[in-house]
Amino acid sequence: MKVFKNLLRKPNTSFWRGFTNYWSVAVYTLVVWDFITNNMLSPIVGPVAAVYVVILTIYSAEKEFERWQDYHTKRHPGEVYVAIWTVLFFSILLATLFFDKPYRMPSEIISTYIAVLGILALTKKSKALYQEKCPSSELHESAQK
């Protein structure tokens, strides 16, 4: 019971960050393995990618909520997720062409990449609005350094 009271009192993104990182590695591995096996895992790519997007969305929303409630002071840039997805996405496209593989990228991977880009865009806009509203915040000061 005490755990639930603590969760309700103080936001804790470390759980969601760890959970998101775990699922990120799992999805990246699944996508690479699906590529290596020429779509053998495609039937599960969609459900796993959907769960990943939901977890990433919850984590991002929690971070933004904390920012707006002045709880969020640590930096965990979402650009890392976008960078990894971009490298993964284009590496698979190029490798498919270069090795002349029969692999067809599942539409769920494309949708997931677009969702990750969208989540980053929303969090960037939220951060900019917060910095406009609260120019003396720690976050604003650390971003200018």
Side-chain angles (χ1 to χ4, degrees), residues 32-42 101 103:
V32 170
W33 196 254
D34 187 51
F35 170 74
I36 290 169
T37 62
N38 293 322
N39 298 105
M40 279 185 54
L41 301 175
S42 287
K101 285 182 68 76
Y103 177 78

Side-chain angles (χ1 to χ4, degrees), residues 63-89:
K63 274 181 52 177
E64 290 311 308
F65 177 79
E66 285 186 8
R67 181 189 327 276
W68 283 90
Q69 297 300 315
D70 292 323
Y71 294 134
H72 181 74
T73 57
K74 299 176 190 156
R75 296 193 62 201
H76 299 287
E79 292 88 351
V80 172
Y81 296 103
V82 172
I84 293 170
W85 270 106
T86 300
V87 168
L88 181 64
F89 185 81

Side-chain angles (χ1 to χ4, degrees), residues 77-119:
E79 292 88 351
V80 172
Y81 296 103
V82 172
I84 293 170
W85 270 106
T86 300
V87 168
L88 181 64
F89 185 81
F90 286 104
S91 295
I92 287 175
L93 286 178
L94 291 173
T96 301
L97 293 172
F98 183 74
F99 295 116
D100 196 30
K101 285 182 68 76
Y103 177 78
R104 294 189 54 88
M105 187 173 293
S107 60
E108 294 88 355
I109 294 173
I110 298 165
S111 299
T112 300
Y113 181 56
I114 292 168
V116 170
L117 290 171
I119 291 167

